[in-house]
Amino acid sequence: MKSFAFFIGFLAIGMTTDSKAQPGPTASRLYVGTYSVRGSEGIYSVDLDRKTGALSIAGVTKNNQNPSFLALHPRKKYLYAVNEANGETAGVSAYTIDKATGTLQLLNQRATEGAGPCHISIDKSGKLAFVSAYGGGVFTTLPVEANGRLGTLVERIQYAGSNPENSR
């Protein structure tokens, strides 16, 4: 039971909800980001029954680039995921959310110029995406276009220094 609780807690790190794409009056649609290993296929759409607490997988949007952290656009029409990889595949993906079904459709992907992007957030206006990358200490900003697509990188800040924990 402890391992199941840890698994759900771990998934919650990359989970966001969209109440607009509800499967029913007492349910909410959740989107769960994962590491694409050990059979995981990408971003899972999960229905949460708010009466019983039961979870059921409604579908999966395939992404083999470790979409581990997700951010929902303020208008709840778009979902963004980091592609926690290294090299040219490191970046972010933008998806549109089908209002009727809650399914995701890839809009575009952009590089973030930092290895292992691990966090993304969208500003309150929905016009900027902020991405941090653990590998290399890079923070980037990308514009969010009116159609939800991510624009070309507009800012890149490279941090330097060291961690007080020498083993890291």
Side-chain angles (χ1 to χ4, degrees):
M1 187 64 169
K2 282 184 179 180
S3 62
F4 178 75
F6 173 78
F7 177 72
I8 293 299
F10 180 75
L11 289 180
I13 293 169
M15 184 167 53
T16 188
T17 182
D18 176 19
S19 59
K20 297 268 191 219
Q22 291 186 24
T26 63
S28 293
R29 172 65 48 91
L30 307 174
Y31 296 98
V32 181
T34 65
Y35 286 97
S36 306
V37 295
R38 293 184 293 276
S40 178
E41 298 180 90
I43 301 171
Y44 287 82
S45 300
V46 178
D47 292 336
L48 168 65
D49 184 314
R50 293 190 311 267
K51 279 187 170 181
T52 67
L55 295 170
S56 59
I57 296 175
V60 63
T61 302
K62 295 190 185 238
N63 178 332
N64 65 356
Q65 299 169 0
N66 298 322
S68 61
F69 197 93
L70 309 175
L72 189 62
H73 189 277
R75 293 190 334 216
K76 300 187 184 323
K77 292 173 63 173
Y78 310 108
L79 184 75
Y80 301 91
V82 297
N83 296 327
E84 194 171 339
N86 294 315
E88 292 180 19
T89 60
V92 291
S93 297
Y95 297 90
T96 186
I97 301 171
D98 183 285
K99 187 176 180 178
T101 65
T103 58
L104 303 176
Q105 181 68 41
L106 181 66
L107 290 171
N108 73 333
Q109 295 179 315
R110 290 288 184 189
T112 55
E113 297 183 14
C118 57
H119 184 267
I120 184 168
S121 63
I122 308 299
D123 78 316
K124 288 181 182 181
S125 73
K127 294 181 180 178
L128 294 172
F130 304 105
V131 182
S132 56
Y134 186 76
V138 177
F139 177 84
T140 55
T141 305
L142 299 100
V144 176
E145 299 171 359
N147 62 3
R149 295 172 65 89
L150 293 163
T152 305
L153 187 133
V154 294
E155 184 171 25
R156 180 184 190 278
I157 299 171
Q158 174 71 56
Y159 289 95
S162 62
N163 185 322
E165 177 61 49
N166 291 331
S167 65
R168 295 180 80 188

